[in-house]
Structures are given as structure tokens and as C-alpha cells.
Amino acid sequence: MSTQPFHDLGGQPAGPIDRQEHPTTFFEKRIDAMLMLLSDTRRRLIRVDEHRRTMEQFGPELYWSLSYYERWLHSMTSLMLEKGIITRDELDARMAEIRTRLEKPGQG
């Protein structure tokens, strides 16, 4: 029985690696910037080990269903909730506000 974590593919056959560069999307840049701000030395709201821990706790189904930067976003959200920096109610209210704005033409 293997004790290798589901996210650790080291030594397993995985097929060819796509080494082509792709343009960085606005979403990816925004997520990267948010993580840099949350983990900078003045704020230290997120540490690398915490960020990694939360991603490793997703479980294989969620982990593999998310893109690289979606994992980062999910991890940051989980940590902000875990630390009480934001509440579930605050997050839900903000998401509802954004959905409403996006549903109204010309309001986005």
C-alpha cells in the first residue's frame, strides 16, 4: 500500500509535459497578486506552509477538478475563513453582491 499523497505525482507515469508558454490571464495575475499581498512580510496573513496544507486537504476530487490558480484561490479563501479574517456570512454577502452586479447589463 502506497503512502504517497494523492497530489504527489513523483515517479508516476504522467505522459508528456506541455512546455509551451501561455499568456497569463487577468484572473491568474489577480490571484497571484492577492497571494503576494496576503503573504508579504508586513501582513503575514498567509504562510507558505498553511497555503500548501489547505490545498493538500482538498481531497483528490476537488484538488484535480480545480486549475492551478483556482487551487490558490480556494486555499486563500479557506485560510481567511479559518483565521476569522472574514466570516462565511461576509463572503456570501459579497458574492451575492457581485452576482447581482454581473446580472445587470452595464453594471459590471
Side-chain angles (χ1 to χ4, degrees), residues 1-70:
M1 175 157 198
S2 174
T3 58
Q4 187 170 357
F6 67 87
H7 52 81
D8 182 0
L9 300 178
Q12 298 181 33
I17 297 171
D18 179 6
R19 296 185 183 271
Q20 293 292 326
E21 289 289 328
H22 73 279
T24 308
T25 67
F26 179 70
F27 172 77
E28 293 168 341
K29 289 177 184 178
R30 181 172 274 185
I31 299 306
D32 185 76
M34 287 190 324
L35 183 59
M36 294 307 108
L37 289 170
L38 291 169
S39 62
D40 80 10
T41 55
R42 290 175 302 235
R43 291 177 190 84
R44 284 285 164 110
L45 296 174
I46 292 179
R47 290 178 166 70
V48 172
D49 58 326
E50 297 171 321
H51 181 54
R52 184 173 181 158
R53 172 185 54 84
T54 57
M55 287 190 288
E56 291 172 356
Q57 290 175 338
F58 290 168
E61 189 173 310
L62 177 59
Y63 185 90
W64 294 116
S65 71
L66 299 173
S67 71
Y68 183 76
Y69 285 98
E70 287 172 335

